[in-house]
Amino acid sequence: MTYFSALGNPLSGSGFASSGVPGTTAWRALLALAVVFVLLATTGWTAVRKHHADAGPRASALLAWEKGSLAGRPLPDPDAPAGRIARYFASLDTAQQRTLARRYPLVVGNLAGAPLPLRYRANHTALRTALRVERARTTDERLTDEGRHEATRRMHRFASMLRPGRQILSFDPTGRGHAAEVFGDLAHARRVSVVVPGVDTELLTFEKSARRYAAPVGMADALQKEQEAAAPRVRTATIAWADYTAPVGLGVDAASGELAQEGAARLDRLVRSLPATLRATAHSAPGGDEADGPAQRAAHATGSTDRSATDPSTTDRTTARNTAARSTAGRTAAPKVSLFCHSYGSVVCGLAAGRLPSSVTDIAVAGSPGMRADNAAGLRTRAHVWAMRDRDDWIADVPHMDVGGLGHGADPVADGFGARHLSAAGAEGHTGYFVPDTRSLANFAAVGTGSYQDVTCDSSDPECSFVPEPR
């Protein structure tokens, strides 16, 4: 079940009277309060307690990594800034990098700052292992029929993700699972689009055969193809990003912002770890710590968090890299990043907006329940904020309010919000925005490639495509 779908059938019309009926606003507000009380009565406040990661293979891999070493040197903290991780791997030769990927695939495959080809390689290894585990579970008589059926579904999902040519950027089979996939050449892209999906996102819904464009993989694939067709000279890449814990169906989690807060932190880390962003950071700052916060930079200066920094054997190589970085300063710029946030994913993007780096130039939301801000200015971002909603998206019938922390606030397509209102012509329902041959997808591609002159505005905002040149 999708976000608040109980308030109206997401596959048909609205569950409320039309806006022209007198008293509709008050009626919807009262109904929203009733829904809040039902949620609390059925799921309780305990549903908003902190979600702890399930014990599983990734937790075991992280523990092994913490105790491990390579060539007599301890391994770096996996939570260290991406720039520091990148410098660590740059100090290794190819054989050493591959050794780490083979020993710790669930760490290296998810390690922000590790070389892209190595992450793809590590995740391929992790997927092969996960496939073997699920294949064994399909015939495990200790499991229920339902358990064996789920194992079969996961086995098929992992087999699909192992197909040649797929670039899996992150993978964690723990619990419902996380994943991200790259379409295009991320290492050399000058414009990167990130698709941030909403409720019910997990490994089993990462891609779909039926309703392909309602799942992250189909969304990102369609967007990348549209971008390549619309602007073939622009080097683009698109990420299907399902690397956060999304709410499951209707409940307090879907109406609250806790999971979105956690997702926002992960989204910020993703953007800061993009390969070209790391190169630009290294070239603009000899120490390479521009992406670090003040606390991390201070810790790095004292060597308190970088376990490899005390190794004198890396000093000459570090000096050489810094000299090369200074000599090429100004020649590399971070790629421009656009976020395409669907449904609850727009809550994640809204909460992330104020902390994201300046490389994020555009945030576009579709079918949004709100962004946890009263208006676009409240997002505290210099990025262009775009919004769209098609005429039969049931999310329009969700009251945009915040009652005791439940609900996500103002409607991004409302006139007073201040977002640029894009046309969603051709899209149908809540999940039709990324379907090929729709104006919604064409508009996303125009935003993602920076071709603002090609944007089609909604009739309510005919000048939305006017984007002043940056100063």
Side-chain angles (χ1 to χ4, degrees), residues 83-425:
R84 202 168 305 162
I85 296 294
R87 292 195 301 279
Y88 171 77
F89 277 93
S91 73
L92 307 178
D93 61 32
T94 301
Q96 290 174 318
Q97 291 183 1
R98 291 186 175 182
T99 294
L100 290 180
R102 184 178 65 254
R103 289 180 184 173
Y104 312 101
L106 283 174
V107 178
V108 175
N110 296 279
L111 198 55
L116 271 181
L118 195 68
R119 288 183 66 172
Y120 297 155
R121 184 186 189 96
N123 285 321
H124 189 84
T125 299
L127 276 161
R128 287 204 311 266
T129 300
L131 178 64
R132 288 195 297 269
V133 169
E134 298 303 333
R135 181 179 290 119
R137 293 180 70 239
T138 61
T139 57
D140 190 339
E141 295 184 356
R142 295 171 296 179
L143 299 179
T144 63
D145 289 344
E146 182 179 358
R148 288 192 291 272
H149 176 66
E150 180 172 327
T152 299
R153 293 180 65 200
R154 286 170 65 93
M155 180 182 70
H156 289 320
R157 171 63 62 248
F158 300 157
S160 174
M161 294 172 71
L162 281 166
R163 290 201 307 264
R166 298 193 66 168
Q167 302 175 125
I168 305 302
L169 183 64
S170 63
F171 171 69
D172 180 3
T174 304
R176 293 163 54 217
H178 293 172
E181 182 171 4
V182 172
F183 296 86
D185 183 0
L186 182 59
H188 300 99
R190 301 311 309 141
R191 285 199 169 260
V192 177
S193 297
V194 182
V195 174
V196 184
V199 165
D200 289 330
T201 296
E202 57 177 273
L203 280 173
L204 290 178
T205 60
F206 185 53
E207 57 182 321
K208 297 179 180 179
S209 299
R211 299 175 63 230
R212 168 175 169 76
Y213 303 109
V217 167
M219 292 176 176
D221 187 26
L223 178 56
Q224 177 61 17
K225 289 176 179 174
E226 189 77 11
Q227 290 177 152
E228 290 173 344
R233 294 185 179 182
V234 179
R235 288 182 292 172
T236 60
T238 303
I239 300 173
W241 189 75
D243 198 14
Y244 81 105
T245 301
V248 179
L250 171 63
V252 172
D253 281 338
S256 71
E258 182 186 14
L259 293 179
Q261 283 281 14
E262 297 173 0
R266 296 177 71 90
L267 180 59
D268 177 59
R269 184 167 175 81
L270 167 77
V271 172
R272 294 180 185 276
S273 68
L274 294 176
T277 300
L278 291 177
R279 289 197 299 272
T281 298
H283 292 164
S284 64
D289 286 329
E290 280 298 307
D292 302 4
Q296 287 94 337
R297 286 196 293 269
H300 181 49
T302 62
S304 61
T305 61
D306 188 352
R307 286 182 275 176
S308 66
T310 57
D311 184 354
S313 67
T314 65
T315 302
D316 292 339
R317 281 177 295 204
T318 300
T319 300
R321 285 196 302 275
N322 288 344
T323 299
R326 284 191 292 271
S327 69
T328 57
R331 281 193 271 164
T332 300
K336 293 182 178 180
V337 180
S338 299
L339 306 180
F340 297 92
C341 320
H342 178 249
S343 195
Y344 188 85
S346 66
V347 185
V348 176
C349 292
L351 291 172
R355 73 175 78 182
L356 293 168
S358 59
S359 57
V360 176
T361 57
D362 299 273
I363 301 175
V365 302
S368 174
M371 301 180 74
R372 298 217 149 224
D374 292 333
N375 48 49
L379 296 172
R380 297 182 300 168
T381 178
R382 296 180 64 182
H384 310 123
V385 180
W386 311 80
M388 68 168 68
R389 184 170 65 221
D390 66 55
R391 294 182 177 181
D392 62 349
D393 188 339
W394 57 264
I395 204 76
D397 294 323
V398 175
H400 287 82
M401 56 178 62
D402 183 345
V403 181
L406 297 180
H408 304 301
D411 185 352
V413 300
D415 291 340
F417 190 83
R420 299 167 184 271
H421 197 175
L422 294 166
S423 170

Side-chain angles (χ1 to χ4, degrees), residues 416-460:
F417 190 83
R420 299 167 184 271
H421 197 175
L422 294 166
S423 170
E428 296 181 357
H430 186 56
T431 58
Y433 297 98
F434 291 85
V435 174
D437 300 319
T438 57
R439 178 48 53 188
S440 52
L441 181 61
N443 275 335
F444 281 161
V447 170
T449 57
S451 306
Y452 303 125
Q453 71 281 359
D454 296 332
V455 160
T456 301
C457 301
D458 186 81
S459 59
S460 65

